[in-house]
Amino acid sequence: MHDVAIVGAGPVGATLALALRGGDLDVVVGDARAAGETVRADRTLALSHGARLIFERLGIWAPLAATDGAVTPIVTIDVSQARGFGAVQLTAAEHGLPALGYVVSYRALQRVLDDALARAGIGVRFGAPARAVTGSADAATVDIAGSEEPVRARLAVVADGAASSVPDIARRRHDYRQAAIVASVALDHPHGGIAYELFTFDGPVALLPERDHYALVWTRTPADAAALLALPEPAFLAALAGHFGSRVRGFTRASNRRSFPLSLEVARNTTARRIAVIGNAAQALHPIAGQGFNLGMRDAYDLARTILDTPREALGSDAMLARYRARRVLDRRAGIAFTHGLVQLFGNDRPWLRVPRGAGMMLLDAVPFAKRAFGRAMLFGMR
Ligand SMILES: Cc1cc2nc3c(=O)[nH]c(=O)nc-3n(C[C@H](O)[C@H](O)[C@H](O)COP(=O)(O)OP(=O)(O)OC[C@H]3O[C@@H](n4cnc5c(N)ncnc54)[C@H](O)[C@@H]3O)c2cc1C
């Protein structure tokens, strides 16, 4: 029997496996994808400064930062609302940091993590989709499609992005009835590391600096999103420029336009008998605040610390799983509530909310303590 079986070697599962290195544990990792394969269309991940610190400790940051075009620093975040007053500017300098966060290519990150796993001698079993992960008093069992031999471990960690293989973990789903349009957008001037988040009547829109252009995340109703995607490029750019008004000017190009539906999916429990779920399998959030991926990183890191603090024979025990839940409960709840609250507050067209929203932003900008607290939460999470 293995000590730990990790289902899914995406960014979160791979981070956990790397954090367990050197712990003298027998760890097995499986992933449904083929070796070397990653997401079909690249994603831009918003990495917080706290996630960078985790990658630094695991020796991932240096190869990632050295990969051409993989990492773009965000030095300023400009938050404002259309047709309302109030704006907040967070800067790296006021937090004494080189950057507030980073825009990272999912594909590049996955390649660096795959290489790091191989270098660390952690063999990932690729092409091994888990069909069911179940727990009993003495072991967790991972059934793999196409394999007669199930994997048994004291603890199974599910990091498959959807918890689809864990019958004992129910997920709550809230459909925002919104879609995110994502695209690469160019301006006629350098981005200078400034990220924009604009709250509009139709929902939030973000521009994240990425290499020599911006990554756009534009929240709309599904019908609007379909109509915008069908527009020729000049008309799409005109609609975008109209949306940003005077805040951002000079849109020249939009490529790789696509959209995906937005929902909040939260596992009711992050543990079941001999099982823990982490990353997107535990919570998949609206991208409005860039919190989802960073919460997943912290799940992985805190679970690794809990595992390494636990004697081998107690791995996967109720007591160990309770310690893990206690470690994560505050940060997880706050991250979910913060993101969901922002969507409720800013993701709608109720004019009576405009004044409190504007006042909130002006206050944040004017009160150094409130602004620092807000910035800290965005950078490091809420513990
Ligand atoms: C369509 C989409 C677009 C997104 N866009 C953005 C964005 O623009 N910005 C942003 O910050 N975040 C974005 N996210 C969220 C971001 O991708 C996640 O926060 C992040 O990928 C979570 O990492 P993870 O390792 O938990 O899960 P994933 O990245 O989903 O990794 C899961 C891994 O598990 C493997 N797997 C799946 N099923 C099984 C199985 N049954 N058995 C074994 N292995 C399995 C997969 O092959 C994969 O390697 C997006 C998410 C989605 C779904």
Side-chain angles (χ1 to χ4, degrees):
M1 181 160 67
H2 302 283
D3 292 321
V4 182
I6 302 174
V7 176
V12 172
T15 297
L16 172 66
L18 289 167
L20 293 177
R21 254 177 324 187
D24 191 30
L25 291 170
D26 172 3
V27 178
V28 285
V29 188
D31 199 295
R33 66 193 157 96
E37 187 195 28
T38 175
V39 281
R40 232 170 293 138
D42 201 5
R43 285 179 207 162
T44 44
L45 298 172
L47 210 84
S48 67
H49 182 72
R52 171 188 168 154
L53 296 181
I54 293 177
F55 282 151
E56 275 181 0
R57 276 178 219 140
L58 300 179
I60 299 301
W61 183 252
L64 184 63
T67 305
D68 193 27
V71 175
T72 309
I74 300 172
V75 292
T76 302
I77 302 178
D78 179 292
V79 186
S80 60
Q81 64 168 325
R83 284 185 250 174
F85 60 94
V88 183
Q89 280 222 340
L90 301 172
T91 65
E94 69 197 356
H95 289 277
L97 295 171
L100 289 169
Y102 302 86
V103 176
V104 170
S105 144
Y106 184 107
R107 274 195 196 149
L109 173 62
Q110 188 70 79
R111 262 182 235 120
V112 167
L113 288 166
D114 284 351
D115 288 351
L117 288 168
R119 268 202 319 277
I122 304 168
V124 179
R125 194 166 152 189
F126 288 105
R131 205 167 30 197
V133 183
T134 49
S136 67
D138 58 340
T141 303
V142 182
D143 266 318
I144 294 167
S147 167
E148 307 264 291
E149 196 66 30
V151 172
R152 278 167 53 81
R154 294 175 202 274
L155 170 69
V157 182
V158 177
D160 66 356
S164 51
S165 54
V166 209
D168 292 343
I169 301 241
R171 288 188 12 136
R172 184 164 50 87
R173 185 167 194 279
H174 176 85
D175 187 347
Y176 287 119
R177 298 174 205 276
Q178 288 180 329
I181 300 173
V182 291
S184 300
V185 170
L187 297 186
D188 61 7
H189 55 273
H191 55 60
I194 304 174
Y196 292 93
E197 180 111 40
L198 174 72
F199 294 96
T200 76
F201 296 138
D202 312 302
V205 53
L207 285 173
L208 302 173
E210 183 178 41
R211 299 194 289 277
D212 61 348
H213 60 268
Y214 270 106
L216 169 73
V217 186
W218 190 2
T219 308
R220 301 297 298 247
T221 64
D224 280 0
L228 284 163
L229 288 182
L231 288 176
E233 189 183 345
F236 180 82
L237 289 173
L240 190 59
H243 221 65
F244 269 99
S246 59
R247 204 83 201 160
V248 186
R249 295 181 196 273
F251 294 100
T252 57
R253 193 172 48 79
S255 52
N256 299 323
R257 278 183 273 160
R258 56 196 186 279
S259 76
F260 57 89
L262 291 170
S263 61
L264 166 71
E265 291 195 31
V266 179
R268 288 186 188 280
N269 295 304
T270 53
T271 65
R273 192 143 72 156
R274 297 217 164 253
I275 298 169
V277 294
I278 60 172
N280 260 36
Q283 61 275 318
L285 309 187
H286 192 295
I288 186 172
Q291 293 286 309
F293 177 68
N294 299 300
L295 263 184
M297 284 291 110
R298 300 199 290 273
D299 286 347
Y301 198 70
D302 282 351
L303 181 57
R305 283 166 57 207
T306 312
I307 291 172
L308 293 172
D309 285 349
T310 302
R312 172 175 276 127
E313 54 288 353
L315 287 174
S317 63
D318 291 349
M320 186 223 113
L321 292 171
R323 275 204 308 283
Y324 168 66
R325 283 197 309 274
R327 218 166 202 162
R328 294 298 305 140
V329 67
L330 184 59
D331 185 33
R332 177 172 188 263
R333 271 200 203 143
I336 294 168
F338 175 66
T339 302
H340 189 59
L342 271 185
V343 180
Q344 300 304 315
L345 186 62
F346 288 106
N348 65 65
D349 185 14
R350 283 171 221 142
W352 52 270
L353 280 174
R354 234 178 284 158
V355 171
R357 282 192 302 231
M361 281 201 245
M362 280 195 356
L363 259 181
L364 265 185
D365 208 32
V367 181
F369 168 75
K371 196 171 167 190
R372 261 201 313 276
F374 179 77
R376 237 200 101 71
M378 298 289 279
L379 291 167
F380 299 107
M382 292 165 238
R383 298 160 195 256

